């Protein structure tokens, strides 16, 4: 703790330093002259003492600024570990706290950026390596370019294309450049179209309450969200078990629920699955697993609609993905 650390205003601190320096100067000169010392000696001694006093009182007044300057230089070189240490409570102290907050935020953004590059490179490399291996085998004459081999190559190319368009979607959503085309449409035909177009090897139990329920949303974007939810549910559902798809209106909100009887998502994982590229260990090990972008996109889309998406446990097992949307957006139509 430094002498003036508890004072919350930098102006008051400077005022105190000036008054103390002037006070010391006057006292030393008056006392020295009274004691018979020459005026020059008294003046020089008073000046030296006043300087020492300023040094003592102003200690720490500018050190956070120096630390901030050093930390900013380190940040420019990619080091986000430096923090400003200060016990001061004045404006410079507040600035130092805000600076530390900003550095922590930038460090997190930098971590996400590095993770993203690592994940994207990894996800792109897997299908590219498979494609390259098949093509090499064809060029060497080990594998004939017959329909099964071409089918495998087509799947890898589709996976690459899908990954790139999901990444583009996510980046557009995050930067906010996709304006929502909100309109009113009927829930039942919408959900039926999602199920029909997803072409999944499971049965669906659909319920819409009330039967003529309407939704106010961007139908293409919501289609993308519900498609991902039903694909996830179908992927994790035990063989022969139907997937539930329900839409209802309650307390001025539309709820769309997708329920399955699979292993479910644990409480610890229920936030992490919304992170880009997050997949459970089983999903990672499975050859037909996705890329881990679907729920990240879903959360962005639903947030843009002013709604929410959450994961609840299904009874007796499995998970219930619950999307909640406001019934009408002001100025939407
Ligand atoms: N219904 C579900 N039951 C169990 N786990 C699920 C379910 N839905 C999602 N998960 C878990 O959440 C992870 C993330 O899901 P998400 O939809 O974001 O990615 P994905 O389905 O793996 O790939 P993508 O949707 O990008 O093709 C999945 O990999 C899986 O581990
Ligand atoms: Mg998915």
């Amino acid at each position: 703790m430094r002498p003036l650390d508890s004072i919350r205003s930098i102006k008051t601190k400077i005022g105190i330093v000036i008054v103390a320096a002037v006070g010391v100067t006057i006292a030393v000169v008056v006392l020295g002259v009274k004691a018979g010392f020459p005026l020059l000696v008294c003046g020089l001694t008073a000046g030296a003492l006043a300087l020492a006093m300023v040094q003592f009182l102003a200690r720490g007044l500018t050190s956070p600024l120096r630390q901030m300057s050093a930390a900013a230089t380190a940040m420019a070189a990619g080091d986000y570990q430096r923090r400003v240490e200060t016990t001061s409570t004045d404006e410079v102290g507040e600035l130092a706290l805000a600076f530390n907050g900003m550095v922590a935020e930038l460090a997190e953004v930098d971590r996400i950026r590095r993770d993203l590059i690592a994940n994207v490179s990894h996800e792109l490399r897997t299908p590219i390596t498979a494609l390259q291996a098949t093509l090499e085998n064809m060029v060497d004459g080990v594998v004939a370019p017959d329909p099964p081999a071409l089918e495998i190559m087509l799947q890898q190319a589709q996976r690459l294309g899908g990954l790139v368009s999901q990444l583009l979607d996510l980046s557009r959503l995050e930067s906010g450049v996709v304006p929502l085309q909100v309109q009113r449409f009927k829930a039942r035909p919408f959900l039926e179209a999602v199920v029909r177009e997803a072409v999944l090897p499971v049965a669906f139990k659909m319920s819409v309450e009330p039967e003529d329920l309407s939704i106010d949303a961007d139908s293409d974007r919501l289609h993308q969200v519900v498609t991902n939810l039903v694909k996830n549910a179908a992927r994790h559902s035990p063989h022969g078990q139907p997937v539930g798809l329900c839409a209802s209106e309650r307390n001025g909100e539309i709820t769309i629920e997708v329920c399955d009887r699979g292993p479910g998502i644990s409480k610890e994982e229920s936030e992490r699955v919304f992170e880009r590229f997050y997949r459970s260990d089983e999903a990672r090990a499975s050859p037909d697993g996705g890329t881990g972008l679907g729920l990240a996109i879903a959360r962005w889309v639903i947030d843009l609609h002013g709604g929410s998406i959450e994961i609840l446990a299904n009874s007796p097992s499995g998970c219930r993905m619950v999307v909640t949307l406001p019934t009408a957006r002001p100025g939407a139509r």
Side-chain angles (χ1 to χ4, degrees), residues 166 228-229 231-237 258 260 262-265 269 272-275 277-284 289-297 311 318-321:
Q166 274 189 317
N228 177 52
L229 297 184
K231 278 189 176 169
N232 284 353
R235 189 181 286 152
H236 294 97
S237 257
V258 180
D260 66 70
I265 296 174
E269 277 193 314
R272 298 212 62 198
V273 289
F274 291 104
E275 289 172 14
F277 293 108
Y278 182 83
R279 283 172 292 171
S280 63
D281 293 339
E282 298 88 78
R284 216 166 265 280
T291 49
L293 288 173
L295 288 177
I297 293 175
I311 299 172
C319 79
R320 264 170 70 203
M321 306 293 300

Side-chain angles (χ1 to χ4, degrees), residues 270-320:
S270 62
E271 264 310 304
R272 298 212 62 198
V273 289
F274 291 104
E275 289 172 14
R276 284 176 293 201
F277 293 108
Y278 182 83
R279 283 172 292 171
S280 63
D281 293 339
E282 298 88 78
R284 216 166 265 280
S286 153
D288 64 343
T291 49
L293 288 173
L295 288 177
I297 293 175
R299 174 154 278 178
W300 271 100
V301 170
I302 300 301
D303 280 354
L304 280 180
H305 280 86
S308 67
I309 177 165
E310 61 174 337
I311 299 172
L312 303 177
N314 198 12
S315 163
S317 68
C319 79
R320 264 170 70 203

